Every structure is written in structure tokens, then in C-alpha cells.
């Protein structure tokens, strides 16, 4: 009796192909022959939001790009490999730098003080701050960059325009430049790139096929039914969890690896977005090939190191790990099989049988960027470890090919290179890890007597990073004799600009166009600080306060009453409208100087704000009168001027101790600030005092303690600001305050006396219930 064959299992669903949230270039890939990147700086928030509001509905989604690419690939197969002329599209993508998200959202801290060593820290730092760490030194030093350098214009947004034809690309560029002009934006830099033509198609300027080793994505690419975990019709291409490229999706599980920043700790607005690295990499083509020739001559002086008929192409292929066609040296050691399509697309490689790099040198570009199972001598490397280091590469060559017969445009000094673009969910553990731990070091793989040397194609010698010495391993045909030949290489790939950006989801783009981040609460609702208008307290049955919120301030009115709310007095104003706030991007905290309130018609304050990532303070004054003229009395200084703030890096909020103001010639305060502990950050508080007098001597009264010591703050992890309830200050021995925190506002009371017992008064209320915070 025979058993009928079972029906084949249906293919697994591919939900990512239908995503209308993930931008189309991240997973699907634009795959266009012509591309342009516009690096934009905005000078004003409102027109920038209008620009993004118009752009967001036009950003290509994964669903759109995936559907087009499927049709395009099917048409190419039908036509025998030719591009179908009837199928054309122009795609738009956009990414935002940390300053760009700050500007659009109005939030100076869209990534709340990120833990050290995390991708959030790298994003907030930007490429400029991390240039040296990733090997951008010497002639690649950031001071020489064309874009992204600290002394130049700030890049807020990077607009990607990709099209099938140069004419369609130019039409789209013209339209986007016009839109940028309407938004009063400055085009900091424009970088065009295009697929090379003719025999160079699909190759970079050194002449080698590019993009052979791109990863597949689980949930987007079909799985090979004959080989689980690998992409169908792409031998050797592993399917990587989408969370390695898209924030908030499942990631690779690494046993014992705790360095990776958990997706759960990422801001919710980053879900379905991806971190983008952009680098302009100039290539000195004749210099690199001349170097290959020099090193070949060195090897030929060592008997038996290379075959007698080995030419420059032979050694160049070993420096790259592949022949020009893309065929790996590992499986095609003698020649380039240019007419063998299966060989030129071969990505199904294992280096387990070549631990010493006798066939594919350890310093080759292929093994430095994707070591596979040849990572460690004689020991298998978990596939998960490799999967967690993958990046999704995009980009294209720019400039004319090197051709000295074509005049200056094709000469050695003409601008040419690779516009490198990649996407990942973790800047530190993916892009930066590859650059620092693999490409630039001369000790990868580690633990070898003769250091393998840096990536022979794109690194070369880097001062203070590596010695630029490669160790070429060779053996006699019978394996009886081993040789290690040192080679010296210089760098012929130069970084000319770099940017770290973030490609948000479509929903986040639309929210940013409205001036908020989609975390359920408009960013405008977060409060930085309050300041009582000195001559407008309890006047006409009301008190006036200035409310500082991101880069703006608003005057609000609080009528007398125990359970009051606020009234709008006048619209928000830019901080730049106050001379006392010149150069202040956002007010972190502001504290009245106790013995200089309404003295000679002026009131003085300590104002804390952040400059280039570090908090400083200045002393400002505000005059009585309708104009409330402000002035900087003492310029910015560091927090080290406050002895009581030793160990404090960022003052978040300050609350005067109600019954300890101007008592015995001093005033006491609770200072709330943020500290790092165990790789995470938390808010703590300490008590300080400030003496009256010209010196205002400050002293720490009590050391740092957690918010858990305040019963009234139960459930609050971070206090943004305190606001006194005007009619409830030292009433019957108690003072009431509104506490503003990310999830709402609550009322608390603090009793006079040594213990200063605090009590929660009522439940939290949504911030939107305050008129000025709606």
C-alpha cells in the first residue's frame, strides 16, 4: 500500500512587505540607478514643520517599494535581463538628525539622557563627535569634511531622492529644492550618485562588484524550503530578524551578551524607524592599484609566496576577497569566472576550513566586513553573533570613472568615490562595531602571533589606530613550509563627510510635522521650568508666571483659588526674544537669588541651561514694569562653580524649602538631578543652602537620595518642574505645589518643620487639562 504524498506546506506569510509605516529604503531598498541626497538645515521651526507636513504623505513606504520591485524583477526575467523601460518610479525618503528632531518636536531631549555606550548616545552625539573612534583621522579627519562638520552648518534632515532616469531625478530635485526654499531651509550639501554604466555596471570605482553580501530579512524575504533560515533563490543569504534593521521588531537573541540596548528601552516614537549612517568615501583609484602592484612586487621577492604567473588582478582579488565579477576567491582561487553567473553571485561561503587565510587572507575586505565562521582560529562562531552585526547597505558610486584618456573629468584628481548609506537598529553594535572591532584594527582575528592587519581595501594605515601592516600567509603546495610576509599599506579611501540620522516611521513623521512625538503626549505639553513674574504676584486676585517649554516661553495667569487652573495671557514667544536668554536653546531650571528679589526695581536669578551637551548656568536680571526688561548679569559658567553641586551633571528642577527661605541668613533648596547607575539613569535629589551676600556661598546639607523618600511622588520617575499653588504657601503650616512630570501633573503638600513631611493631594491629572499645555 502506498501513501499519497503530502501537499507542500504553504509559504510563510511575509507581513513586512505590507508595511505602510517603515520607510521604503530600509528593508525593500529603492534600487534605483540615480540617487541624490539633499542635506538640509532649517532656520525656523514652523516652516520646517510645514515642509515635513507636505513631504510625509509622499515618502515611499515598504509596501509601495516592495510591490514595485517585485514587478520590476519579474519584468526583467521576462525580458532576459534588460531593464523594463515602461516601469519607472521616483522614490523619496527622509531621515532626521538629533538636532533635526529637536527642532521639529520642540523637545530639547527627544532621547532622554541616553545611557553611556548605547546607540541612543551615539545618535545624540552624531557622527562628528564619534569620528575619531571609527577611524576618521589623518586625511579623513572631520575638520576636512564637506558636510556634517561641527564648524559648518547643522544638518537637520537628509532627503533621499531616487529615480530610474537622470531626467526624472533632476525633475524631483528641482521640486524638492523649491520646497526647501519655501521652508526657508538651507541646502548644506547636495550629493548625487549613480550606477556606473557599461562593463562597470554594479561595481564601485576600484572595479569590484558591490552589494553581493546583503542580508535577507525574516518576514520580508521568502525562506528557502530546502534550507531553513536562509533566503530563497539567494544561496548563503541568511534571514536576519527584522529588529536588526528596524527598531521595535524582534532582534537576534545573544546568550550572555548584555551590551545590546533593549528595544523596550527605546523611545516609543522610534518604533518602525531605522538608524541611518551616511558617509562620502572618496576613492583614489590609481593610488590603490599602484599600491597593489607594489605589494605584489614585495611578495614575488619571497620564493613560493605567490604563483609565478600571479598578476595585479590576482593580488587585488585577495585584498578584496572576491574577483571583479563578485566571484569569491575562496571557491575560485585561480581565475575570475566572469561568465559563470552562479559563481559571480556566490554568497554561500564558509571559512572554517581556512582559519589562517591561506586562500582568502584574513585582512581581505570580505573577511573583515563579514567574517562568517572564520572569525576565531579553530573555534566555530555562533551564527547569531554574526547575524547581530549585519547592516543593510544602500548607496552608489559618485563621480566619473577613472580614465586618464578622458581629460580632467576622468583624471586622478577628479572627485569620485562611494556614497555609503546603511541602516541598522543599533549604531554601536552594528556599524561602529564593524568599523572599530573588525575593519580598522590590525588585531582581527585576535590572538595571532602575526597580526593580520586592517581591511586592505578601505582601511590601510591609520595613525594612532593601526600600523598599516598586513601579514600575508602562504604555504608550499604540499603544506610543508609556511611563510608570513609583511606588507605595508596606506589608505586610499578617504572620508569626506558623515552624518548619523534616523529614518522615522510614517506616523512619527506626521506627528513631527505637528510639533510632537507620538508617545501619546504632545511634546509641547512637557514643561521645563516656571518663574514667577516678580511684580505680578497676587495682583488683582491672580498671579502671573512665565512657563518655559523647549525653545519657547509663555506668560500664564493663575487666579486665586485652591483648585485652580491656568488662563492664557498671551501667545508663546521664542526664547530669543529675551536678551537675557541669548544663546539659550531651552531653560532647564531657573532659581530666584533669595536676597536679590525686587531690589532697586530688579530681580536676579540663576538660570541653568545646556550648551553642547553640558549644563551651564548664568545670572540674569528682570526689571519690574510692563516690559520686564531682562539682562545677562554674569555670563555662562560651569556647574563646578557650585560646591554644593559636586557630582551633578544636569539640574532638572529646584524646589525652595518653604520654611527655610532667608532664615539665619541662608535659603535652603531641594535640587533634583539625574545620575547614571548600572548603565541606566535615574533622578535623585539633594538638599543645599545658599547664603545671603555678594558671594552667595553654597553648601550641601544632605547627600543624594532617591525619589522614593518622597511619599507624595510615588509612581513618578522624573520631575520636570514645580509650580507653587499661589494661595497655598505656608497656609496652616503647609505649602502646596503642582508637580509636573511626563505622565501628568499632581498636587503635593509639604509641611513646615524639620521632617518636612510631604503628602499627595489627589490623583494625577492629564497635562492637557491645563489650557497652556493642551
Amino acid at each position: 500500500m502506498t501513501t499519497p504524498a503530502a501537499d507542500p506546506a504553504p509559504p510563510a506569510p511575509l507581513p513586512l512587505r505590507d508595511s505602510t509605516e517603515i520607510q521604503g529604503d530600509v528593508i525593500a531598498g529603492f534600487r534605483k540607478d540615480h540617487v541624490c541626497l539633499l542635506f538640509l538645515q532649517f532656520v525656523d521651526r514652523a516652516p520646517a514643520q510645514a515642509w515635513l507636513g507636505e513631504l510625509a504623505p509622499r515618502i515611499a513606504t515598504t509596501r509601495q517599494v516592495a510591490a514595485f520591485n517585485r514587478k520590476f524583477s519579474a519584468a526583467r526575467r521576462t525580458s532576459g535581463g534588460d531593464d523594463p523601460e515602461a516601469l519607472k518610479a521616483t522614490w523619496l525618503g527622509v531621515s532626521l538628525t538629533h538636532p533635526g528632531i529637536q527642532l521639529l518636536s520642540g523637545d530639547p531631549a527627544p532621547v532622554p539622557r541616553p545611557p553611556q555606550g548605547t546607540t541612543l548616545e551615539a545618535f545624540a552625539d552624531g557622527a562628528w563627535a564619534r569620528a575619531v573612534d571609527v577611524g576618521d583621522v589623518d586625511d579623513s579627519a572631520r575638520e576636512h569634511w564637506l558636510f556634517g562638520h561641527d564648524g559648518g552648518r547643522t544638518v537637520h534632515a537628509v532627503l533621499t531622492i531616487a529615480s530610474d532616469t537622470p531626467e526624472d531625478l533632476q525633475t524631483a530635485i528641482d521640486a524638492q529644492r523649491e520646497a526647501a526654499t519655501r521652508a526657508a531651509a538651507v541646502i548644506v550639501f547636495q550629493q548625487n550618485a549613480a550606477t556606473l554604466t557599461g562593463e562597470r555596471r554594479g561595481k564601485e570605482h576600484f572595479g569590484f562588484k558591490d552589494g553581493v553580501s546583503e542580508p535577507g530579512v525574516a518576514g520580508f524575504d521568502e525562506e528557502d524550503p530546502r534550507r531553513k533560515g536562509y533566503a530563497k533563490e539567494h544561496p548563503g543569504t541568511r534571514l536576519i530578524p527584522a529588529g536588526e534593521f528596524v527598531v521595535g521588531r524582534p532582534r537576534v537573541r545573544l546568550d550572555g551578551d548584555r551590551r545590546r540596548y533593549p528595544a523596550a528601552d527605546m523611545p516609543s516614537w522610534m518604533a518602525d524607524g531605522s538608524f541611518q549612517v551616511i558617509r562620502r568615501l572618496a576613492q583614489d583609484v590609481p593610488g590603490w592599484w599602484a599600491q597593489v602592484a607594489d605589494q605584489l612586487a614585495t611578495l614575488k621577492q619571497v620564493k613560493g609566496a605567490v604563483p609565478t604567473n600571479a598578476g595585479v588582478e590576482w593580488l587585488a582579488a585577495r585584498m578584496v576577497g572576491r574577483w571583479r565579477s563578485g566571484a569569491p576567491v575562496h571557491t575560485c582561487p585561480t581565475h575570475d569566472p566572469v561568465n559563470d553567473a552562479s559563481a559571480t553571485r556566490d554568497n554561500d561561503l564558509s571559512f572554517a576550513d581556512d582559519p589562517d587565510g591561506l586562500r582568502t587572507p584574513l585582512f581581505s575586505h570580505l573577511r573583515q566586513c563579514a567574517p562568517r565562521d572564520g572569525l576565531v582560529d579553530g573555534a566555530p562562531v555562533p551564527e547569531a553573533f554574526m547575524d547581530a552585526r549585519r547592516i543593510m547597505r544602500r548607496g552608489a558610486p559618485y563621480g566619473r570613472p577613472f580614465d586618464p584618456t578622458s581629460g580632467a573629468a576622468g583624471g586622478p584628481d577628479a572627485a569620485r568615490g562611494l556614497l555609503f548609506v546603511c541602516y541598522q537598529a543599533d549604531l554601536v553594535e552594528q556599524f561602529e562595531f564593524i568599523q572599530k572591532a573588525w575593519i580598522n584594527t590590525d588585531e582581527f582575528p585576535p590572538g595571532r602571533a602575526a597580526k593580520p592587519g586592517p581591511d586592505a581595501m578601505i582601511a590601510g594605515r591609520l595613525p594612532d589606530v593601526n600600523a598599516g601592516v598586513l601579514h600575508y600567509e602562504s604555504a608550499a603546495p604540499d603544506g610543508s613550509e609556511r611563510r608570513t610576509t609583511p606588507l605595508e599599506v596606506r589608505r586610499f579611501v578617504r572620508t569626506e563627510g558623515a552624518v548619523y540620522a534616523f529614518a522615522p516611521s510614517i506616523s512619527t513623521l506626521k506627528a513631527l510635522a505637528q510639533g510632537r512625538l507620538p508617545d501619546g503626549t504632545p511634546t509641547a505639553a512637557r514643561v521645563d521650568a516656571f518663574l514667577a513674574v516678580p511684580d505680578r504676584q497676587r495682583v488683582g486676585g491672580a498671579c502671573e508666571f512665565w512657563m518655559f517649554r523647549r525653545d519657547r516661553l509663555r506668560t500664564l495667569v493663575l487666579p486665586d483659588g485652591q483648585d485652580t487652573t491656568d488662563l492664557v495671557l498671551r501667545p508663546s514667544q521664542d526664547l530669543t526674544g529675551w536678551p537675557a536668554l541669548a544663546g539659550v536653546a531651552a531653560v532647564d531650571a531657573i532659581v530666584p537669588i533669595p536676597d536679590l528679589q525686587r531690589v532697586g526695581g530688579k530681580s536676579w536669578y540663576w538660570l541653568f541651561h545646556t550648551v553642547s551637551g553640558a549644563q551651564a548656568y548664568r545670572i540674569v536680571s528682570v526689571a519690574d514694569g510692563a516690559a520686564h526688561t531682562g539682562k545677562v548679569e554674569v555670563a555662562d559658567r560651569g556647574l563646578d562653580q557650585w560646591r554644593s553641586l559636586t557630582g551633578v551633571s544636569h539640574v532638572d528642577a529646584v524646589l525652595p524649602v518653604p520654611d527655610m527661605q532667608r532664615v539665619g541668613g541662608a535659603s535652603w533648596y531641594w535640587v533634583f538631578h539625574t545620575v547614571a547607575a548600572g548603565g541606566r539613569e535615574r533622578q535623585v535629589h539633594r538638599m543645599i543652602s545658599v547664603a545671603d551676600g555678594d558671594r552667595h556661598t553654597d553648601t550641601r546639607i544632605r547627600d543624594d537620595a532617591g525619589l522614593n523618600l518622597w511619599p507624595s511622588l510615588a509612581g513618578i520617575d522624573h520631575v520636570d518642574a514645580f509650580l507653587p499653588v499661589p494661595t497655598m504657601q505656608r497656609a496652616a503650616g503647609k505649602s502646596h505645589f503642582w508637580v509636573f512630570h511626563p505622565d501628568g501633573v499632581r498636587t503635593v503638600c509639604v509641611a513646615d518643620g524639620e521632617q518636612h513631611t510631604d503628602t499627595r493631594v489627589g490623583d494625577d491629572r492629564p497635562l492637557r487639562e491645563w489650557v497652556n499645555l493642551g
Side-chain angles (χ1 to χ4, degrees):
M1 180 178 178
T2 60
T3 303
D7 293 334
L14 303 173
L16 288 178
R17 290 193 178 184
D18 289 325
S19 174
T20 57
E21 284 292 319
I22 303 169
Q23 291 196 43
D25 198 32
V26 178
I27 295 178
F30 287 165
R31 302 183 191 176
K32 298 301 180 188
D33 286 341
H34 305 275
V35 65
C36 171
L37 266 56
L38 294 179
F39 298 82
L40 304 177
Q41 179 192 44
F42 297 99
V43 296
D44 190 47
R45 183 184 177 201
Q49 291 173 342
W51 170 83
L52 186 58
E54 181 181 334
L55 179 70
R58 303 182 59 200
I59 297 299
T61 67
T62 297
R63 173 188 283 181
Q64 292 170 322
V65 176
F68 178 90
N69 288 349
R70 284 199 303 271
K71 291 180 182 178
F72 194 91
S73 296
R76 286 193 69 182
R77 288 192 296 268
T78 301
S79 63
D82 294 331
D83 287 349
E85 296 183 5
L87 274 178
K88 295 192 299 182
T90 297
W91 301 128
L92 297 178
V94 67
S95 59
L96 304 170
T97 63
H98 186 259
I101 294 174
Q102 288 176 311
L103 174 83
L104 285 160
S105 68
D107 189 343
V111 177
R113 282 176 291 282
Q116 186 175 8
T118 65
T119 193
L120 294 181
E121 180 188 54
F123 176 59
D125 286 347
W128 164 271
R130 305 174 77 86
V132 175
D133 286 344
V134 299
D136 289 333
V137 297
D138 201 25
D139 58 355
S140 289
R142 55 195 178 183
E143 291 81 7
H144 309 314
W145 288 359
L146 299 173
F147 58 85
H149 56 91
D150 195 45
R153 291 187 177 274
T154 300
V155 174
H156 288 136
V158 182
L159 182 63
T160 299
I161 310 170
S163 191
D164 291 292
T165 69
E167 296 80 15
D168 289 346
L169 179 72
Q170 190 58 52
T171 298
I173 292 173
D174 293 343
Q176 293 305 320
R177 290 183 71 97
E178 182 180 343
T181 300
R182 292 196 303 270
V186 176
I187 297 178
V188 176
F189 196 77
Q190 176 176 331
Q191 180 64 65
N192 285 30
T195 301
L196 300 181
T197 59
E199 294 181 353
R200 297 184 175 95
R201 184 173 180 83
K203 299 177 180 178
E204 45 74 52
H205 282 291
F206 288 149
F208 291 85
K209 189 174 181 179
D210 197 21
V212 180
S213 299
E214 289 305 284
V217 179
F220 180 85
D221 293 296
E222 289 187 65
E223 186 176 47
D224 188 340
R226 298 168 297 180
R227 193 177 184 188
K228 297 298 183 182
Y230 287 79
K232 184 180 179 180
E233 298 179 356
H234 295 277
T237 298
R238 282 184 55 76
L239 292 176
I240 311 298
E244 296 306 313
F245 314 109
V246 180
V247 173
R249 300 282 178 164
R251 298 193 72 180
V252 172
R253 293 184 179 181
L254 295 180
D255 294 337
D257 189 345
R258 299 182 179 179
R259 296 173 300 171
R260 316 191 81 211
Y261 195 54
D265 290 343
M266 301 286 274
S268 60
W269 60 265
M270 283 186 162
D272 279 350
S274 183
F275 291 99
Q276 182 189 47
V277 176
I278 302 167
R279 292 164 65 81
R280 174 177 157 127
L281 303 177
Q283 293 176 271
D284 180 356
V285 176
W288 190 80
W289 280 101
Q291 175 170 253
V292 176
D294 291 343
Q295 302 313 308
L296 179 63
T298 298
L299 286 174
K300 287 197 170 184
Q301 294 174 7
V302 179
K303 182 179 179 181
V306 298
T308 55
N309 62 345
V312 173
E313 294 279 347
W314 185 92
L315 181 57
R318 276 146 182 81
M319 287 186 165
V320 175
R322 295 183 184 272
W323 297 93
R324 287 182 185 256
S325 68
V329 169
H330 191 74
T331 55
C332 305
T334 60
H335 67 284
D336 187 353
V338 292
N339 297 319
D340 185 346
S342 62
T344 59
R345 294 197 303 265
D346 188 5
N347 195 38
D348 197 3
L349 300 175
S350 169
F351 297 126
D353 60 348
D354 189 23
D356 298 320
L358 296 178
R359 277 186 286 173
T360 304
L362 300 175
F363 53 71
S364 68
H365 179 64
L366 178 61
R367 294 187 74 156
Q368 294 280 316
C369 292
R372 296 174 171 80
D373 51 3
L375 183 66
V376 180
D377 279 351
V381 179
E383 289 179 325
F385 181 85
M386 288 300 309
D387 291 347
R389 312 300 168 189
R390 302 306 304 272
I391 58 178
M392 192 66 74
R393 291 185 299 157
R394 305 293 181 228
Y398 69 87
R400 293 271 299 274
F402 174 64
D403 182 1
T405 66
S406 63
D413 297 327
R416 68 175 56 84
L418 181 70
L419 174 60
F420 174 89
V421 179
C422 73
Y423 296 97
Q424 57 267 292
D426 195 323
L427 291 167
V428 172
E429 293 300 324
Q430 290 170 280
F431 168 74
E432 289 191 349
F433 179 93
I434 293 171
Q435 287 288 123
K436 294 190 291 186
W438 291 349
I439 289 176
N440 290 333
T441 181
D442 49 13
E443 294 190 81
F444 174 69
R448 299 183 64 83
K451 299 177 181 179
D455 187 310
M457 185 183 195
I458 64 175
R461 191 180 77 83
L462 299 175
D464 301 322
V465 178
N466 65 63
V469 176
L470 311 179
H471 284 101
Y472 182 88
E473 306 281 353
S474 58
D478 60 2
S480 59
E481 185 179 2
R482 293 282 297 277
R483 302 180 183 86
T484 299
T485 307
L487 305 174
E488 294 187 8
V489 292
R490 290 173 294 153
R491 188 177 192 177
F492 290 97
V493 176
R494 184 177 67 255
T495 305
E496 295 187 329
V499 164
Y500 284 178
F502 184 74
S505 68
I506 304 301
S507 291
T508 295
L509 290 176
K510 292 178 179 178
L512 284 169
Q514 300 172 8
R516 64 184 183 88
L517 289 169
D519 57 359
T521 302
T523 57
R526 295 289 295 272
V527 175
D528 294 322
F530 290 97
L531 178 62
V533 180
D535 56 346
R536 300 296 297 173
Q537 297 303 295
R538 307 300 301 279
V539 176
C543 297
E544 294 182 15
F545 290 83
W546 288 303
M547 178 176 63
F548 296 92
R549 190 176 56 193
R550 314 314 180 223
D551 60 348
R552 306 184 75 79
L553 66 89
R554 174 176 286 185
T555 306
L556 55 88
V557 179
L558 297 177
D560 289 350
Q562 184 171 342
D563 189 23
T564 187
T565 185
D566 60 321
L567 302 175
V568 176
L569 181 63
R570 60 178 65 96
S572 296
Q573 313 162 47
D574 289 334
L575 295 188
T576 54
W578 277 30
L581 302 181
V584 175
V587 174
D588 297 329
I590 187 165
V591 183
I593 300 179
D595 57 340
L596 288 174
Q597 294 301 293
R598 305 201 67 193
V599 176
K602 293 171 65 174
S603 297
W604 294 44
Y605 305 89
W606 292 295
L607 186 149
F608 296 82
H609 69 110
T610 302
V611 182
S612 300
Q615 197 175 57
Y617 80 98
R618 65 177 58 175
I619 297 176
V620 303
S621 67
V622 178
D624 292 348
H628 292 113
T629 304
K631 178 184 177 183
V632 176
E633 300 287 354
V634 178
D636 288 345
R637 296 179 175 181
L639 297 191
D640 57 357
Q641 299 295 310
W642 289 68
R643 291 181 299 178
S644 64
L645 299 183
T646 299
V648 174
S649 61
H650 190 280
V651 173
D652 300 324
V654 178
L655 177 62
V657 181
D659 58 340
M660 293 297 291
Q661 297 300 295
R662 309 289 309 280
V663 176
S667 299
W668 292 27
Y669 302 87
W670 288 294
V671 177
F672 292 75
H673 67 104
T674 301
V675 297
R680 302 293 297 275
E681 292 192 337
R682 65 188 184 100
Q683 195 178 59
V684 297
H685 73 286
R686 64 177 58 175
M687 183 179 282
I688 70 170
S689 70
V690 180
D692 293 347
D694 292 340
R695 298 182 65 83
H696 291 111
T697 303
D698 63 300
T699 305
R700 189 192 308 191
I701 304 298
R702 293 177 188 165
D703 290 335
D704 288 341
L707 300 193
N708 61 301
L709 292 187
W710 289 66
S712 64
L713 301 183
I716 294 178
D717 295 325
H718 188 279
V719 173
D720 291 331
F722 293 95
L723 178 63
V725 180
T727 58
M728 297 294 291
Q729 294 303 293
R730 304 205 64 197
K734 293 183 178 181
S735 299
H736 284 58
F737 300 90
W738 286 298
V739 180
F740 289 79
H741 59 98
D743 297 322
V745 59
R746 73 174 54 168
T747 306
V748 305
C749 79
V750 179
D752 293 348
E754 185 177 351
Q755 295 297 319
H756 293 111
T757 304
D758 63 299
T759 308
R760 178 173 176 172
V761 181
D763 295 329
D764 285 346
R765 291 187 293 161
L767 292 171
R768 63 177 178 272
E769 289 189 6
W770 284 62
V771 175
N772 285 275
L773 299 178

